Amino acid sequence: MTARRLIVLVLLSLLAFAGNSILCRLALKQTTIDPASFTLLRLVSGAMVLWLATLRAGERQDGAGDWMSAGALAAYAAGFSFAYVSIPANTGALLLFGSVQATMIGHAIWSGERLHHVQTAGLLIAMGGLLSLFLPGLQHAPPIGGAFLMCVAGIAWGVYSLRGRRSGDPTRTNAGNFLRAALMALVLSLVLHDTAALDAAGVGYAIASGAVTSGLGYALWYAVLPSLKASTAATLQLSVPPLAAFGAVLFLDEAISMRLIVASVAILGGIGLVLWQRRRSQRT
């Protein structure tokens, strides 16, 4: 893969990840669709695109997903949708990716990885930034329920990513997991059928989120991952919250407060320190 092609595909993947937040918030803020229906349509359309990608690849590869990974995926998708009922896209993306990276780092520590003092400082800074978004009494603080759900979604996505390291072909594995997660989302939709609501715009946003920014976005990301170091890939994902915040300003008229900027610098900067030191340690 040429360097130019790699850069283009990485950029498209990161824009797709940020686009998920924008599309979900647009749907739940500006249309009548309910979060359970949005989750179901997103997972179904994502599964369809990923399965089409596996058919296009031709040769059958190992990996078809599993129910535990699908459960983590369903928890992520549902928490993501229900959180965006009440919190803005810029805050949601920051909480999501901060929680994802915290989960990945926490797993590394639990597995025996020892942190350098720079990494410890970075982790404490990131945790402080994350906790600052939950402090009561602060102006423009996000609703605690929505913020909590987004953190749960981030933890679930971190678990899903960690389990994905042990799978076979990533596109086929994701397709199988999306299909299983869609079945779980169907159960959730049936349980909450009294609150179900659909309209054309909401359905369109949900399908776009599933087919384009989820299914196609993940397929692109896993296509470029072999060409990236793990630390580089993790660092690149830190650009998603700023991209989502920029998109929220353009498409949702969301304001960016100084407190959100400070929290973003603390969370993303702290995690960046952890990843930077890990990369330095791997080189020595």
Side-chain angles (χ1 to χ4, degrees):
M1 184 181 296
T2 64
R4 179 177 297 180
R5 178 179 174 82
L6 178 63
I7 292 172
V8 170
L9 292 181
V10 166
L11 180 58
L12 288 175
S13 301
L14 296 174
L15 288 173
F17 293 156
N20 269 325
S21 292
I22 304 303
L23 288 171
C24 187
R25 183 59 175 159
L26 275 171
L28 297 172
K29 179 183 179 182
Q30 299 183 4
T31 79
T32 61
I33 193 170
D34 64 288
S37 296
F38 184 94
T39 301
L40 176 59
L41 290 170
R42 178 189 178 189
L43 290 171
V44 169
S45 55
M48 292 177 63
V49 167
L50 288 167
W51 275 114
L52 287 173
T54 63
L55 293 175
R56 187 174 182 274
E59 184 179 351
R60 186 179 178 89
Q61 302 290 334
D62 292 332
D66 61 84
W67 286 102
M68 290 190 66
S69 294
L73 176 60
Y76 150 72
F80 184 90
S81 299
F82 280 88
Y84 270 135
V85 171
S86 59
I87 63 175
N90 48 29
T91 304
L94 179 62
L95 287 170
L96 177 70
F97 279 86
S99 300
V100 170
Q101 294 296 336
T103 302
M104 305 284 276
I105 294 169
H107 178 267
I109 296 172
W110 182 78
S111 299
E113 181 176 325
R114 297 182 62 182
L115 294 183
H116 188 272
H117 64 274
V118 173
Q119 291 175 298
T120 301
L123 189 59
L124 291 174
I125 293 170
M127 289 176 61
L130 193 62
L131 290 174
S132 72
L133 294 174
F134 287 90
L135 291 178
L138 292 179
Q139 190 178 17
H140 306 304
I144 188 68
F148 174 77
L149 283 173
M150 190 57 81
C151 287
V152 170
I155 293 170
W157 183 253
V159 170
Y160 182 71
S161 300
L162 289 167
R163 290 185 60 83
R165 291 176 175 177
R166 302 191 297 269
S167 62
D169 176 68
T171 303
R172 189 165 184 267
T173 298
N174 274 297
N177 287 332
F178 262 74
L179 183 59
R180 290 176 174 83
L183 294 176
M184 299 178 188
L186 176 60
V187 173
L188 178 64
S189 292
L190 292 175
V191 171
L192 300 176
H193 70 277
D194 289 340
T195 62
L198 296 172
D199 65 359
V203 169
Y205 287 137
I207 293 175
S209 176
V212 180
T213 57
S214 293
L216 184 58
Y218 298 164
L220 288 176
W221 179 248
Y222 285 109
V224 301
L225 268 184
S227 301
L228 300 172
K229 293 181 179 179
S231 57
T232 302
T235 305
L236 285 171
Q237 289 188 10
L238 297 181
S239 66
V240 175
L243 288 172
F246 182 71
V249 172
L250 286 180
F251 300 108
L252 293 163
D253 296 324
E254 291 183 3
I256 300 179
S257 66
M258 181 56 65
R259 191 170 69 84
L260 180 63
I261 293 175
V262 173
S264 299
V265 171
I267 294 171
L268 302 181
I271 293 172
L273 277 176
V274 175
L275 298 175
W276 173 75
Q277 182 60 45
R278 177 183 289 178
R279 190 172 183 177
R280 282 192 61 189
S281 299
Q282 290 172 347
R283 287 178 175 176
T284 57

